[in-house]
């Protein structure tokens, strides 16, 4: 018998790609890679009302974006199209015939009903342990309109595709006793089950729904998150390397990943942690890649055009790379490098300019600037230190108001770097206008 692992991701196309589904796909993919097995993509599109080409495309784009490539499929739309249940009716017909011949089904009101065995089934689950369940009632496997029911086609395909491990969301645990009945009736070995815990909303109880912020893979793609960061974060929703590390290369996760380590407890979604991880992955990009990755966001925000000096753009973005957590916040973060009419953070203004002092500090700095022979980070720092000594105050008394006056913000890239990149003329102009 072939002992190779074969797993599948079997989404029903719903029009969006929920991160819960993405995490299921990821765990299947990781397990296949860990065991040197095969990862199959099967689109469960038997519900004609809901399914559309567009909803399949969302799933496929999301999987590709996350780098979760599947290993086989019919040669339809390309070398590796997924399997579509809508194209496999002949297979379901032949399995149904077999159940009929074995007298395991009957018809009532036009629907085909499956006769349960009445025996309790042991469901072996790698995560939840063994559970014994009794499926008490017969159930429909083909509706009166001829369309096959999920339980039936799901099991037939798992048999037909030689699936060895069924890794899926915990919401399907209650279906598995029906599935075990069908596997047995069809004379096939029951696969190993692994029902993975739910993903809860960031606050409060309850499962994350498609309406919750951060729930859809396609949104992360549109918001220009790094797929490696999203994938790394999803790995931690129910799995951990059993040390304190959270940021791990995918190759290492593949080596370490096993079903036994998946937690029984529900995982809580934390978008802040994901953004933090994204920031880490952004910092790890080469400076050139970071520029290429961010440029489109600055272009669509109207800050950068084909005329922008590439060296200047690189200088600004290299300074930002250390600080930002996501690309979508970048235009606001660096607008003052590209435009003179940048917005001022009024809450920060209120805090910094409570008294006259800060304006006086700005004027002292302005007066001293002409004496500065060069405009480097080092000379600017020396100037601020010298001024603070002369006037008996802290360097921060200069840094905070000056930063605000030239950038409109209380946070941003390193202070001396900010001044250096803006250049002497712009710094003087902005400070004069401000005071
Ligand atoms: N089509 C089912 C779903 O999207 C798949 C269930 C399974 O993985 O067995 O929930």
């Amino acid at each position: 018998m072939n002992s190779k692992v074969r797993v599948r991701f079997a989404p029903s196309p719903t029009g969006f790609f929920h991160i819960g589904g993405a995490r299921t796909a990821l765990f299947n993919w990781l397990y296949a890679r860990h065991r040197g097995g095969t990862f199959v993509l099967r689109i469960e599109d038997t519900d004609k009302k809901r399914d559309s080409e567009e909803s399949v495309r969302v799933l496929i784009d999301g999987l590709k974006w996350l780098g979760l490539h599947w290993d086989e499929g019919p040669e339809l739309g390309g070398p590796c199209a997924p399997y579509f249940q809508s194209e496999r009716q002949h297979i379901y017909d032949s399995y149904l015939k077999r159940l009929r011949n074995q007298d395991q089904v009957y018809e009532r009101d036009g629907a085909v009903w499956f006769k349960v065995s009445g025996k309790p089934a042991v469901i072996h689950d790698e995560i939840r342990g063994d559970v014994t369940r009794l499926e008490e009632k017969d159930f429909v496997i083909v509706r009166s309109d001829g369309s096959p029911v999920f339980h039936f086609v799901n099991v037939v395909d798992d048999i037909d595709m030689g699936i060895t491990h069924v890794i899926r969301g915990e919401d399907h645990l209650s279906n598995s006793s029906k599935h075990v009945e069908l596997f047995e009736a069809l004379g096939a070995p029951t696969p190993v089950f692994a029902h993975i815990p739910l993903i809860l909303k960031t606050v409060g109880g309850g499962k994350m729904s498609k309406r919750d912020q951060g729930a859809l893979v396609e949104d992360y793609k549109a918001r220009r998150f790094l797929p490696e960061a999203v994938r790394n974060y999803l790995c931690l929703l129910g799995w951990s390397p059993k040390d304190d590390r959270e940021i791990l290369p995918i190759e290492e996760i593949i080596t370490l990943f096993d079903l036994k380590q998946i937690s029984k407890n529900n995982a809580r979604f934390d978008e802040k942690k994901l953004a933090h991880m994204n920031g880490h992955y952004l910092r790890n990009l080469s400076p050139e890649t970071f520029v290429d990755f961010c440029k489109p966001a600055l272009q669509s925000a109207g800050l950068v055009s084909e005329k922008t000096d590439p060296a200047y753009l690189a200088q600004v973005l290299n300074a930002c790379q250390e600080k930002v957590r996501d690309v979508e916040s970048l235009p606001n973060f660096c607008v003052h490098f590209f435009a003179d009419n940048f917005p001022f953070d009024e809450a920060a203004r209120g805090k910094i300019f409570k008294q006259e002092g800060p304006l006086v500090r700005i004027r002292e700095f302005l007066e001293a600037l002409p004496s500065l022979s060069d405009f480097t980070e080092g000379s600017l720092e020396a100037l601020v230190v010298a001024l603070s000594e002369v006037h008996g105050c802290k360097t921060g008394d200069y840094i905070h108001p000056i930063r605000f006056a030239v950038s409109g913000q209380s946070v941003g890239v390193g202070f001396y770097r900010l001044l250096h990149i803006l250049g002497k003329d712009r710094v003087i102009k902005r400070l004069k206008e401000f005071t």
Side-chain angles (χ1 to χ4, degrees), residues 181-229:
E181 286 271 349
L182 285 165
F183 280 110
E184 287 184 358
L186 288 164
T190 304
V192 173
F193 288 105
H195 286 94
I196 53 186
L198 302 178
I199 302 177
L200 302 179
K201 295 177 202 277
T202 310
V203 259
K207 197 177 147 182
M208 229 176 139
S209 87
K210 65 172 185 207
R211 280 172 299 278
D212 290 312
Q213 158 84 1
L216 304 185
V217 174
E218 52 272 30
D219 288 349
Y220 289 107
K221 188 174 171 220
R223 292 164 64 194
R224 296 192 69 70
F225 272 68
L226 284 172
E228 297 80 5

Side-chain angles (χ1 to χ4, degrees), residues 8-14 21 24 28 42-45 50 85 150 154-155 158 166-169 171-172 175 179 193 195:
R8 83 308 192 265
F9 175 48
S12 311
T14 49
T24 300
N28 276 284
R42 179 172 85 220
I43 307 290
E44 300 210 324
D45 59 345
R50 282 192 313 190
Q85 285 191 328
F150 157 70
N154 183 267
V155 168
D158 283 344
V166 168
I167 306 168
R168 62 184 174 190
D171 43 339
H172 284 292
N175 292 326
H179 296 185
F193 288 105
H195 286 94

Side-chain angles (χ1 to χ4, degrees), residues 368-380:
L369 270 186
S371 69
L372 205 64
S373 56
D374 57 5
F375 204 74
T376 60
E377 290 179 44
S379 64
L380 284 160

Side-chain angles (χ1 to χ4, degrees), residues 131-405:
V131 236
T132 307
R133 275 179 168 246
L134 176 63
E135 192 61 35
E136 286 171 354
K137 289 193 191 125
D138 296 349
F139 54 91
V140 173
I141 57 171
V142 180
R143 297 183 194 90
S144 52
D145 66 1
S147 62
V149 169
F150 157 70
H151 304 297
F152 178 56
V153 289
N154 183 267
V155 168
V156 166
D157 277 340
D158 283 344
I159 296 171
D160 197 71
M161 295 175 181
I163 298 302
T164 57
H165 295 70
V166 168
I167 306 168
R168 62 184 174 190
E170 200 185 86
D171 43 339
H172 284 292
L173 186 61
S174 57
N175 292 326
S176 35
S177 46
K178 286 192 178 63
H179 296 185
V180 170
E181 286 271 349
L182 285 165
F183 280 110
E184 287 184 358
L186 288 164
T190 304
V192 173
F193 288 105
H195 286 94
I196 53 186
L198 302 178
I199 302 177
L200 302 179
K201 295 177 202 277
T202 310
V203 259
K207 197 177 147 182
M208 229 176 139
S209 87
K210 65 172 185 207
R211 280 172 299 278
D212 290 312
Q213 158 84 1
L216 304 185
V217 174
E218 52 272 30
D219 288 349
Y220 289 107
K221 188 174 171 220
R223 292 164 64 194
R224 296 192 69 70
F225 272 68
L226 284 172
E228 297 80 5
V230 177
R231 185 175 63 189
N232 189 154
Y233 179 71
L234 291 180
C235 288
L236 302 179
L237 288 177
W239 176 87
S240 81
K242 300 283 173 269
D243 50 33
D244 284 339
R245 286 177 310 154
E246 298 200 312
I247 294 169
L248 289 93
I250 196 70
E251 296 73 22
E252 197 180 342
I253 297 179
I254 288 173
T255 309
L256 295 172
F257 188 85
D258 212 346
L259 298 178
K260 294 235 172 357
Q261 299 158 338
I262 297 175
S263 166
K264 280 194 195 50
N265 302 325
N266 291 333
R268 192 172 289 280
F269 184 73
D270 181 351
E271 211 187 359
K272 282 210 188 85
K273 191 158 159 181
L274 168 53
H276 169 79
M277 213 169 252
N278 193 59
H280 174 92
Y281 277 87
L282 283 174
R283 283 190 290 287
N284 269 7
L285 294 179
S286 74
E288 298 74 28
T289 311
F290 184 76
V291 171
D292 291 342
F293 190 67
C294 295
K295 200 174 160 186
L298 298 183
Q299 280 171 328
S300 37
L303 299 181
V304 162
S305 71
E306 286 315 316
K307 279 183 263 159
T308 309
D309 174 16
Y312 180 73
L313 179 64
Q315 205 182 12
V316 171
L317 287 180
N318 291 348
C320 295
Q321 187 171 4
E322 292 165 21
K323 302 281 179 182
V324 289
R325 296 198 309 180
D326 47 61
V327 175
E328 65 185 343
S329 61
L330 189 64
N332 283 338
F333 189 78
C334 69
V335 51
H336 50 273
F337 285 111
F338 302 101
D340 285 323
N341 61 342
F342 52 86
F344 284 90
D345 174 349
E346 293 307 325
R349 188 201 298 271
K351 279 192 202 125
I352 300 170
F353 296 93
K354 273 199 211 106
Q355 288 131 3
E356 258 302 279
L359 279 178
V360 178
R361 302 282 93 86
I362 294 181
R363 289 192 202 108
E364 287 162 2
F365 181 73
L366 252 179
E367 276 161 32
L369 270 186
S371 69
L372 205 64
S373 56
D374 57 5
F375 204 74
T376 60
E377 290 179 44
S379 64
L380 284 160
E381 182 166 6
L383 175 65
V384 170
V385 170
L387 284 171
S388 65
E389 279 165 7
V390 171
H391 296 283
C393 52
K394 290 180 285 201
T395 51
D397 295 336
Y398 290 91
I399 292 173
H400 302 309
I402 296 170
R403 171 193 286 287
F404 186 80

